[in-house]
């Protein structure tokens, strides 16, 4: 490898006594090339191993660590962390590893797979604060405080894969447009398909309060039903697009 072929003159005595010249090929290893290639390879490997976390989440978010083990901020006061497992990534043909969401009254863990334009939660479970919803969708016209639980299996956030999950909340306090309401305990069904991720939120009587859809274009479509408008502050029965 990295060798070149050089020639030197040689001779051979034939049976008739005459000397005839031939060119003998000798393989010479260019050690300078090998050393330079090794140094460049080590430098590129170092860049890959210590590639900053911003390369994974973009420069618009604050992040620490590397693309292999890092954490990014989710305002207000939450953080999304990840650890990439190389062997699992090779087997999955995509980055795979563990994810965590931590913050006030929040501890959610899961196994994840990073596909193009989507994060697939193979398995996820935990409890958290409803304020996490505002961190994930800052364009919502209201914010809620309370407790929630989450479970998910093969849920693709952003679409690209079929999966599902379950969201549950206790009594909450929501504020928006100068109004404050106290919604009752709610439950939500999470589903994902090729084109996006959906959430259907229902009240204690199983009546639909709201529907949300996150498409592959990262646009959130939010539909508020008349029942939902009665418990979510500052909203009327309508459909909004949040970018």
């Amino acid at each position: 490898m990295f060798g070149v072929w050089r020639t030197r003159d040689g001779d051979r005595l034939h049976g008739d006594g005459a000397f005839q010249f031939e060119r003998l090929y000798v393989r010479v290893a260019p050690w300078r090339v090998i050393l330079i290639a090794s140094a460049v390879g080590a430098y590129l490997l170092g860049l890959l191993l210590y590639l900053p976390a911003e390369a994974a989440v973009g420069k618009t978010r604050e992040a620490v660590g590397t693309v292999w083990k890092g954490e990014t901020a989710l305002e207000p006061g939450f953080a999304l962390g990840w650890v990439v497992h190389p062997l699992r990534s090779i087997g999955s043909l995509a980055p795979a590893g563990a994810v965590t969401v931590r913050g006030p009254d929040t501890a959610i863990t899961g196994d994840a797979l990073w596909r193009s334009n989507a994060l697939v939660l193979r398995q996820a479970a935990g409890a958290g604060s409803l304020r996490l919803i505002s961190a994930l969708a800052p364009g919502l016209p209201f914010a809620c405080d309370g407790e929630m639980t989450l479970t998910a299996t093969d849920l693709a956030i952003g679409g690209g894969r079929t999966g599902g999950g379950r969201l549950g909340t206790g009594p909450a306090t929501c504020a928006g447009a100068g109004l404050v309401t106290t919604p009752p305990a709610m439950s939500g069904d999470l589903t994902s398909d090729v084109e996006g991720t959906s959430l259907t939120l229902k009240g204690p009587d199983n009546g639909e309060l709201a529907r949300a859809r996150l498409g592959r274009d990262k646009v959130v479509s939010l539909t508020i039903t008349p029942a939902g408008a009665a418990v979510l502050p500052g909203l009327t029965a309508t459909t909004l697009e949040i970018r």
Side-chain angles (χ1 to χ4, degrees):
M1 186 178 182
F2 300 114
V4 297
W5 292 93
R6 295 181 182 172
T7 63
R8 69 183 183 192
D9 290 332
D11 59 349
R12 181 174 60 189
L13 179 63
H14 286 254
D16 57 3
F19 287 95
Q20 294 190 0
F21 291 98
E22 66 177 1
R23 301 179 69 80
L24 303 177
Y25 288 85
V26 180
R27 193 170 188 272
V28 179
W31 295 109
R32 291 182 180 177
V33 175
I34 293 176
L35 290 175
I36 293 173
S38 299
V40 171
Y43 175 72
L44 294 177
L45 181 61
L47 287 180
L48 181 62
L49 290 175
Y50 296 101
L51 197 63
E54 286 85 351
V57 300
K59 295 183 178 181
T60 57
R61 289 186 179 273
E62 294 183 7
V64 295
T66 68
V67 295
W68 305 100
K69 183 178 181 180
E71 192 173 65
T72 184
L74 298 174
E75 296 298 336
F78 298 90
L80 169 65
W82 65 88
V83 177
V84 177
H85 298 153
L87 293 181
R88 286 177 53 192
S89 299
I90 293 173
S92 303
L93 300 179
V99 294
T100 59
V101 179
R102 63 180 184 87
D105 303 317
T106 299
I108 299 173
T109 61
D111 291 326
L113 186 67
W114 286 265
R115 295 290 187 183
S116 58
N117 207 38
L119 172 66
V120 179
L121 295 175
R122 289 171 159 177
Q123 294 288 337
S129 168
L130 283 173
R131 284 175 286 173
L132 179 61
I133 295 177
S134 297
L136 297 175
L140 289 174
F142 61 89
C144 295
D145 195 4
E147 297 180 352
M148 70 173 185
T149 58
L150 171 70
T151 59
T153 302
D154 288 331
L155 182 69
I157 301 175
R161 186 167 180 167
T162 301
R166 186 76 175 169
L167 178 70
T169 77
T173 300
C174 297
L179 301 174
V180 177
T181 61
T182 55
M186 298 176 285
S187 62
D189 293 318
L190 291 158
T191 58
S192 65
D193 52 40
V194 174
E195 297 300 327
T197 311
S198 299
L199 166 65
T200 301
L201 194 64
K202 298 179 180 180
D205 59 353
N206 210 35
E208 187 175 282
L209 303 177
R211 296 187 305 274
R213 174 80 172 175
L214 172 62
R216 304 206 73 172
D217 56 1
K218 305 303 182 185
V219 175
V220 176
S221 174
L222 176 64
T223 299
I224 305 297
T225 68
V231 297
L232 296 175
L235 293 178
T236 58
T238 185
T239 297
L240 307 171
E241 277 197 357
I242 304 169
R243 297 180 179 270

